[in-house]
Amino acid sequence: MVQSGCTLDNVIGWQKQYSPASSTLDEEREPLVAYNTPSGAPSNSPSRTLHGSSAFVERFRAFRYNNREFLAEFIGTLILILLTDGVAAEQTLGIGPRSWLTSSFGSGLAVLFAISVSGHISGAHINPAVTLTFWAFSGFPTRKLPVYFTAQFLGAFVGAAILYSVIYPALNEFDGGDRQILGEHGTAGIFATYPPLYVGYGAAVASEIVGTALLCLLIMVTGHPNNMPFHQSQGVFIACGLMTLSLGLGYTSGFSLNPARDFGPRLFTAVAGWGTGVFSIRNYYSFIPIFAPLIGGLIGGMTYTIFIDHA
């Protein structure tokens, strides 16, 4: 979710200013660490020797170097889902009093945690809607789209799996081992998003589109190098903005704003005991949090380009 000025140089008039969070152009970045100059690494990369290295270790070093952005997006999205769904578990399982304020603050802080971990490597998109928006309006390379998308969806799935293993005893205590999607003992909402019963399709789609548009607008605005002091503390302002969006609009849908955040954990629940009904329930509501945020992100990017960026 961290926006860098270098991505917009030739697209909407920004001057090149490379931030540590830049992730879109490998050619413009200093290599992180190259161990003994693995295959494909620049010959002038810094190197260090570890005792007892083997062919396996060298291959692992090369893999880590060549896939550092994939790994950063993977671990960032994993952390996001682990903590966001962990907050949802606390609310659902009756560990504490239910409060939308708690959910909103917890989600915002989870985003801040994830950005802090992966932002300096991959830009911490941790959201396919953000990646798609950067591709459409910020010059994000097309060749990296499948890399980021795969890392995000896989990280979300693994994050849900890890949380499940942690809260397994609490789940069994709550539902007696009978996994239910909705209802008094429904627990699928811990992992994926489901709207309140009074919310129809139209309101849910509007909520996801408007919320994601505002989120992507905020990311692009705070990423502008001339927007001080927001640019230097972008992760904090993104987290605060997400809290505000959740408090103001979140009750109008399941409020995913992130296709990976919904689809990865939803797929996990389908294979972990809740069944394929997690996709078909409420007349296939699951399609809304997967596709509506993508539309919302593009609208947010277009809004920024038309109304804000006049450099």
Side-chain angles (χ1 to χ4, degrees), residues 51-182:
H51 297 291
S53 62
S54 64
F56 172 79
V57 173
E58 292 302 321
R59 285 195 296 269
F60 173 74
R61 290 169 176 167
F63 172 82
R64 185 178 63 177
Y65 178 84
N66 294 326
N67 298 277
R68 58 193 182 278
E69 292 176 345
F70 173 90
L71 295 173
E73 282 296 301
F74 171 82
I75 192 65
T77 312
L78 185 156
I79 291 171
L80 172 67
I81 300 307
L82 177 63
L83 297 181
T84 300
D85 288 358
V87 173
E90 185 266 346
Q91 295 284 287
T92 301
L93 301 179
I95 307 302
R98 296 187 67 125
S99 168
W100 191 250
L101 182 66
T102 300
S103 298
S104 299
F105 271 80
S107 298
L109 293 174
V111 168
L112 180 59
F113 197 127
I115 291 175
S116 300
V117 169
S118 62
H120 63 297
I121 305 295
S122 68
H125 295 188
I126 57 178
N127 184 340
V130 173
T131 301
L132 183 66
T133 302
F134 283 178
W135 170 79
F137 297 98
S138 301
F140 187 79
T142 302
R143 62 183 173 82
K144 291 188 178 183
L145 282 177
V147 175
Y148 273 59
F149 287 165
T150 302
Q152 291 156 359
F153 284 110
L154 186 60
F157 183 92
V158 175
I162 293 175
L163 177 66
Y164 179 78
S165 67
V166 172
I167 67 172
Y168 184 78
L171 278 173
N172 285 338
E173 177 67 21
F174 181 78
D175 63 12
D178 180 21
R179 301 290 182 254
Q180 301 175 39
I181 300 174
L182 299 177

